[in-house]
Amino acid sequence: AFQGLLQLDPEGNYQSFFGSNKVQFSLFDSFKRAVYTREMYQRELSKLPGAVVNTAIDSNGFIYTVTKEIGSEQVKKFNIAGLNQLEAGGEFTPAAKKKKRTFGENAWWAPHGALPQLQDISVDADGNLTVIDALYNTISQYDADGNLLFFWGSDDLAGTTKLGLVKTPAAIATTANGDLLVLDSVNSLV
């Protein structure tokens, strides 16, 4: 949901929402606020933040979320206080000096311009995060601080099937041994 993750107590009672995304606000939105009448502005569609589409938790209790269709901070790493530990610049950096961190890589064969559409995340015992981009069919791995280690994918040539080539990654998981499991929805393989 766009409100973030639902936090429940041990008995299953609602506590709060956790880790929601911020609404993207453009220059055109501020123009509409200044020029539109109250009635015109109320007829506008409500702007909602991107919805969290998948989560993971590591052995240290950090909660990771992945969100589609937002330009930056598609991956977040929350501590117990709900602070994003992957936020560029850290929690004590003034807002004016913070840079927006982006995730998802564009391969050379991918059309440029469209935002990556991250759909799943997995975290290994060392804190490395691995994400799947459903738009570009790439898998990217980052260290515990969100720095890119490497990425790979397929240009998905029609009519080709090679064992080990992931055409359309749909889900990802990491085993206790550190093995990475990727579900390929086109080849119906793990």
Side-chain angles (χ1 to χ4, degrees), residues 129-145:
L129 6 148
T130 309
V131 297
I132 291 177
D133 181 348
L135 179 63
Y136 296 121
N137 295 325
T138 58
I139 300 168
S140 304
Q141 191 166 69
Y142 303 87
D143 67 14
D145 295 321

Side-chain angles (χ1 to χ4, degrees), residues 52-109:
V52 173
V53 294
N54 241 314
T55 62
I57 189 166
D58 69 12
S59 59
N60 295 320
F62 289 105
I63 299 172
Y64 299 79
T65 63
V66 65
T67 305
K68 283 186 180 181
E69 301 173 359
I70 60 174
S72 61
E73 296 184 339
Q74 285 183 309
V75 175
K76 294 181 180 174
K77 175 183 177 181
F78 293 104
N79 64 12
I80 194 149
L83 300 173
N84 181 9
Q85 300 302 292
L86 294 177
E87 190 171 57
E91 61 192 79
F92 299 111
T93 303
K97 293 191 177 193
K98 289 185 180 184
K99 294 186 330 181
K100 296 291 185 182
R101 185 182 293 270
T102 59
F103 291 88
E105 309 306 318
N106 292 344
W108 62 270
W109 64 83

Side-chain angles (χ1 to χ4, degrees), residues 145-184:
D145 295 321
N147 300 309
L148 178 68
L149 298 173
F150 56 88
F151 74 100
W152 75 95
S154 162
D155 59 357
D156 195 19
L157 297 173
T160 62
T161 302
K162 293 182 182 177
L163 189 59
L165 179 68
V166 179
K167 281 191 164 193
T168 309
I172 195 160
T174 306
T175 67
N177 299 348
D179 294 333
L180 197 61
L181 304 174
V182 180
L183 174 65
D184 186 335

